Amino acid sequence: MALSVDIRKALGNFHLAVQFDAGDETLALLGASGCGKSVTLKCIAGILTPDEGHIELDGVTLYDSASRINLPPQRRQVGYLFQQYALFPNMTVRQNIAAAVRDKARRQTEVAEKLRQFRLEAVADQKPGQLSGGQQQRCALARILASEPTAILLDEPFSALDSYLKWQVELELMEVLDQFDGPTLFVTHNRDEVYHFCSHVCVLEGGRSQPMEPVETLFRAPAT
C-alpha cells in the first residue's frame, strides 16, 4: 500500500505546500507548532479540502482538484487519532469501538477481539471520562483499527499524556504499528519520537515540506 500527497492550501496568511510519498512504513511529519502538520492530516482525512493538488491511497484517488474528485471522510478508509482522542463521551468503551465496525454481522466478535488486544476488557462498560489517559488512547486506537483502515494518521499521540504514562503508552503504540500493514503518518515536533517510531521523515517548515529522508540521515546530518 502507498500514500501519495501533493497539495496546496491557503488559510489566511498561511500557505501550505506539501509533497511526499509513504509506503508500508511510519513516516514522521516533523516541525514546529504552526508549520502545517495537523492541517496536512486533516486534508488527507477529508476534514479540510485543499485548494489544489492530488491525494492517492492504495491506488484510490481521495482528492484531485483537476478531476474534481473529493471523497468524503467516511469513504477514505483513513484512521485518524486526534490529539484529544475524540471519543464519544456518552458511549462506553465497548460502544465506541462498536461504532467503527463496518460489518454488522461481525460487530460483536470484532469488539471482543479489540477489547482483548488492547487490554480494555476490565473497563469495557466505562465511559471515556472514567478512563486514564493511557486507557483513552488505547480505546481510540482500538476504534481506529476496528474500522479496518488503509492508513493511520497520528496527530501528536502523546501530547495528552503525562510523563509517567508516556513510556508505557509508547511501547504499546510501537507494538500496534509493528502489526499494521499500511502507511502511518506520525505528526510530532519531538525528535526522540521520530527516532523511536519512524523510518523516514518529512520536515515541514513554514508550511512547506522538505525532501523526505531516512531518519538516520536526519540525525547524522540534518538539512533543517
Side-chain angles (χ1 to χ4, degrees):
M1 297 182 198
L3 172 66
S4 178
V5 177
D6 184 2
I7 55 173
R8 273 75 60 198
K9 183 168 183 64
L11 293 168
N13 293 325
F14 176 80
H15 295 272
L16 182 77
V18 172
Q19 192 281 322
F20 60 82
D21 296 283
D24 294 343
E25 61 180 324
T26 301
L27 169 67
L29 298 184
L30 176 66
S33 297
C35 71
K37 305 185 300 297
S38 294
V39 173
T40 300
L41 293 195
K42 289 175 181 176
C43 287
I44 295 169
I47 298 169
L48 291 177
T49 301
D51 296 330
E52 60 177 342
H54 182 86
I55 303 172
E56 184 174 310
L57 175 60
D58 194 25
V60 177
T61 299
L62 307 185
Y63 170 80
D64 187 83
S65 55
S67 302
R68 297 185 178 180
I69 295 172
N70 186 21
L71 296 187
Q74 61 269 25
R75 291 183 55 198
R76 296 196 177 202
Q77 291 189 279
V78 171
Y80 194 150
L81 183 70
F82 293 87
Q83 290 184 23
Q84 301 298 327
Y85 311 137
L87 296 170
F88 300 119
N90 60 328
M91 291 185 180
T92 65
V93 169
R94 189 189 309 276
Q95 291 167 336
N96 264 280
I97 298 171
V101 181
R102 302 176 188 222
D103 186 350
K104 294 181 180 180
R106 294 191 65 252
R107 182 167 290 165
Q108 189 172 349
T109 302
E110 185 69 19
V111 170
E113 180 182 329
K114 289 296 180 283
L115 289 172
R116 177 195 55 76
Q117 179 184 354
F118 288 89
R119 301 188 301 281
L120 292 166
E121 291 150 307
V123 296
D125 297 312
Q126 294 183 18
K127 294 181 178 179
Q130 299 172 287
L131 306 178
S132 69
Q135 289 169 334
Q136 288 181 20
Q137 186 182 88
R138 293 207 305 274
C139 180
L141 285 169
R143 186 177 66 179
I144 285 172
L145 293 181
S147 70
E148 299 181 330
T150 304
I152 293 177
L153 312 179
L154 303 173
D155 194 352
E156 298 193 27
F158 307 119
S159 63
L161 301 176
D162 58 38
S163 57
Y164 177 78
L165 283 172
K166 184 178 177 182
W167 180 77
Q168 180 62 38
V169 175
E170 280 185 347
L171 295 178
E172 293 169 349
L173 180 58
M174 197 174 297
E175 183 178 343
V176 170
L177 296 183
D178 284 344
Q179 296 173 7
F180 179 66
D181 184 21
T184 298
L185 298 187
F186 192 115
V187 159
T188 182
H189 57 262
N190 186 308
R191 292 191 175 214
D192 289 340
E193 293 173 5
V194 171
Y195 184 78
H196 290 149
F197 285 93
C198 306
S199 56
H200 286 79
V201 60
C202 178
V203 175
L204 271 64
E205 192 173 24
R208 295 187 173 274
S209 61
Q210 308 302 312
M212 283 176 54
E213 56 185 338
V215 167
E216 294 81 1
T217 302
L218 174 74
F219 281 88
R220 185 172 61 249
T224 302

